[in-house]
């Protein structure tokens, strides 16, 4: 009788494991957010023009947004591509070198600059595989950094408004 009970428990365990393994309704662990409302509110509070894409490509999702109203004001928008690669947009009155050290790596190396929409963006790489584009204009540094491909980062920068 004990043997039959053990066999029955084993069959139930196998069925439960098979059912859980076959589920395709597993929730995405990263929650997407709508940054547009926050962006409009923060733009009214900011001392400089906050940049963001008007929309994201299909499959991309915004995952984090923040604005620090105290001086120095900072703006952040975090995005994941459809392949799960990260892109972070940072803006501040901090110098470009300070922002690169903080958001990329203190040891990031300069690479060839990139021209996007007629504007020169400095490019950086770190040993961990991050690629970054940075531009200082009107006392504001804009930095776009991430694990996305160079083409994705360039297209993202080109979409900023």
């Amino acid at each position: 009788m004990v043997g039959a009970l053990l066999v029955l428990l084993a069959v139930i365990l196998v069925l439960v494991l098979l059912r859980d393994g076959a589920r395709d309704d597993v929730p995405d662990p990263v929650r997407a957010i709508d940054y547009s409302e926050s962006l409009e509110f923060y733009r009214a509070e900011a001392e400089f023009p906050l940049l963001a894409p008007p929309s994201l490509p299909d499959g991309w999702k915004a995952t984090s947004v923040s604005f620090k109203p105290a001086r120095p004001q900072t703006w952040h928008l975090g995005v994941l591509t459809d392949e799960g690669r990260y892109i972070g947009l940072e803006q501040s009155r901090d110098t470009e070198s300070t922002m690169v050290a903080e958001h990329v790596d203190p040891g990031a190396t300069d690479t060839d600059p990139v021209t996007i929409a007629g504007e020169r963006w400095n490019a950086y790489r770190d040993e961990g595989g991050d690629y970054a584009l940075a531009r200082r204009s009107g006392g504001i540094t804009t930095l776009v950094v991430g694990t996305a491909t160079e083409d994705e980062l360039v297209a993202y920068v080109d979409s900023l408004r």
Side-chain angles (χ1 to χ4, degrees):
M1 193 156 195
V2 173
L5 182 61
L6 290 175
V7 169
L8 181 61
L9 288 174
V11 169
I12 291 171
L13 179 63
V14 167
L15 289 174
V16 168
L17 291 174
L18 287 174
R19 182 199 65 184
D20 287 345
R23 293 179 74 172
D24 61 356
D25 63 342
V26 177
D28 189 341
V30 179
R31 185 177 62 92
I33 61 169
D34 179 6
Y35 64 91
S36 60
E37 287 182 27
S38 299
L39 176 62
E40 292 310 311
F41 177 77
Y42 295 147
R43 278 182 171 160
E45 301 293 317
E47 297 172 346
F48 56 86
L50 303 182
L51 297 177
S55 63
L56 295 172
D58 288 340
W60 290 34
K61 58 185 166 185
T63 58
S64 59
V65 62
S66 65
F67 176 72
K68 181 180 147 194
R71 290 191 176 130
Q73 292 184 337
T74 61
W75 163 245
H76 162 81
L77 176 61
V79 172
L80 289 178
T81 69
D82 56 345
E83 298 289 323
R85 292 184 288 263
Y86 177 74
I87 297 176
L89 166 64
E90 312 292 339
Q91 282 188 285
S92 172
R93 291 195 184 278
D94 284 338
T95 65
E96 185 173 315
S97 60
T98 298
M99 290 185 66
V100 168
E102 180 179 345
H103 299 287
V104 184
D105 189 296
T109 57
D110 297 20
T111 63
D112 293 333
V114 177
T115 301
I116 304 169
E119 303 290 340
R120 181 178 187 252
W121 289 72
N122 296 320
Y124 301 89
R125 285 200 179 285
D126 72 5
E127 290 182 8
D130 289 332
Y131 181 68
L133 298 169
R135 182 169 183 275
R136 185 145 178 92
S137 176
I140 305 301
T141 301
T142 301
L143 176 76
V144 177
V145 59
T147 57
T149 66
E150 289 179 40
D151 289 342
E152 288 171 325
L153 261 76
V154 167
Y156 183 81
V157 167
D158 193 37
S159 75
L160 297 177
R161 303 288 177 260

